Amino acid sequence: MNELKLTEVKKHYGNKSVLDGVTVQLQPNTIYGLLGRNGAGKSTLLNIVTNRIPATAGSVTMNDRDVTNNDEALQQMYLMSEANLYNPRLRVNEIFKETARMYGGFNFGLASRLAHEFGLNVNARNGKLSTGYRSIYKLIVALCVPADYIFLDEPTLGLDANHRDLFYRTLMDTYAERPRTFVIATHLIEEIAHIIERLVIIKTGSVLVDSSVEETLAQSHVILGPQAEVAAYTAGLNVIGEESLGQLKVRYVYGALDDKILPDTVRIDGMDLQKLFIELTNEEGDEHVI
Amino acid sequence: MQFNLDDNSQEPLYLQVARQLEDAIFLKGFDEGEQVPSTTEISKQFHINPATVLKGMNILVSEEIIEKHRGLGMFVTKNARERIKVKRQNEFYSDYIQNMVEEARKLNLSKQQLLDMIERGFEENE
């Protein structure tokens, strides 16, 4: 199995640090969510992994071999991003053929079925497509290339709700049929919350969370109740945020709870992924830590 | 079929998937001996990672509520509904009674008042 490893990857533009030593191991046949706020470094990271831009320091390896100018490794990776890599004069079906040449294979059957389902005209020229349909043809390419690592940078950009639903269905279907690794970078966290198995959160160029979704959520708690009781119960815990409503207080805790006795008036709920993300990456969030 | 998944529950997603499927079987959404949707079908329909769905299904397999027919898929077992009933009877105390007593205490309801209400509930439900 192909193992993709990032070790201490750094990227600087002049004095500005975009990635500050990212170390992540991407497992085979796993769907990842790559989350981060605008400017956190998600796209830079994906561009470095797929060798589109060079890292300032650190390495990306597949099976312990550096991916830089390593055609064999690069054939196993495909990055779908906002960047337009194809000539705007090319027709969609010509892009399919060109991809097939570059990757030594392409699932034309699936591509034509998906084009039909999404209502994409494969004879249209790339440059003439709307934002939504440009996303759609790129998604189709991403789902039909024979690579083991598919990186999707904002895959649903410009897609309406019906097309997003169709995309997620198709993703689940094709993943079940041919398991491979997908890394989905998106701001629409709720939509992928149940789809991803593992989670990587980056904040200002560093990895904040790298864990399974199940483990992460098991560590995330919402403590709700009267102000004084909630404060007492959460004392000493890793509080990542709080809100108040009258005398009621909600505290968000990330990490283990201790064995203090829970007062009758205090309730513990689970936290959803989006809420966790917001609290963990809030700029003012740090002030809440006691 | 509809899945009610609660992201603010402390219960992990795979257990919620198991319970929703169990509910569907108990409410006769699927008859005994009938095939249930495949992991992929559920995964597609509800946008859930197939590994999570499989983990949930395996719980129902271990409880003998569904069983795998080689090459055909998953089917509801012969006594599935009876098994679910017995299981839920066993969980009734912790799921309902304990919570009810706790809530009654918060509301200052006496034991007798609570028993009277249960009595009334039975009468009105006849």
Side-chain angles (χ1 to χ4, degrees), chain B:
Chain B
M1 191 167 60
Q2 202 192 325
F3 268 22
N4 291 316
L5 304 171
D6 179 6
D7 281 336
N8 293 314
S9 160
Q10 287 191 286
E11 193 173 39
L13 190 60
Y14 72 93
L15 284 178
Q16 295 194 40
V17 168
R19 218 158 28 85
Q20 292 288 322
L21 248 180
E22 184 190 281
D23 236 25
I25 293 167
F26 192 61
L27 298 172
K28 305 193 176 180
F30 301 100
D31 257 325
E32 295 182 347
E34 198 184 323
Q35 186 167 15
V36 296
S38 70
T39 306
T40 311
E41 281 171 87
I42 294 176
S43 158
K44 265 175 76 170
Q45 194 171 350
F46 302 104
H47 306 166
I48 304 173
N49 191 292
T52 309
V53 179
L54 187 65
K55 208 167 158 184
M57 281 202 163
N58 281 339
I59 289 177
L60 298 188
V61 171
S62 71
E63 291 176 351
E64 294 177 57
I65 290 165
I66 56 175
E67 61 192 0
K68 192 172 189 162
H69 291 187
R70 203 173 284 274
L72 293 172
M74 295 286 193
F75 289 78
V76 181
T77 58
K78 273 248 152 49
N79 296 310
R81 228 163 266 143
E82 184 61 25
R83 280 204 183 84
I84 297 170
K85 197 173 88 188
V86 170
K87 187 177 110 178
R88 292 191 173 188
Q89 281 173 348
N90 292 334
E91 288 165 354
F92 191 78
Y93 181 77
S94 57
D95 283 356
Y96 293 92
I97 304 298
Q98 280 182 335
N99 289 333
M100 186 174 76
V101 170
E102 207 172 290
E103 186 70 13
R105 283 244 161 85
K106 277 189 211 164
L107 298 172
N108 280 329
L109 290 167
S110 71
K111 182 176 163 188
Q112 195 52 52
Q113 281 172 305
L114 193 57
L115 291 173
D116 288 347
M117 273 192 240
I118 293 173
E119 197 76 48
R120 196 176 99 203
F122 271 100
E123 278 164 21
E124 286 177 6
N125 200 358
E126 255 165 32

Side-chain angles (χ1 to χ4, degrees), chain A residues 238-271:
Chain A
N238 182 30
V239 177
I240 54 170
E242 64 176 29
E243 280 161 34
S244 297
L245 181 68
Q247 291 300 308
L248 275 186
K249 191 192 263 303
V250 179
R251 273 194 169 168
Y252 303 102
V253 171
Y254 181 58
L257 300 173
D258 51 24
D259 44 17
K260 270 198 268 330
I261 293 165
L262 186 72
D264 277 355
T265 48
V266 177
R267 204 175 77 205
I268 304 181
D269 284 335
M271 209 187 311

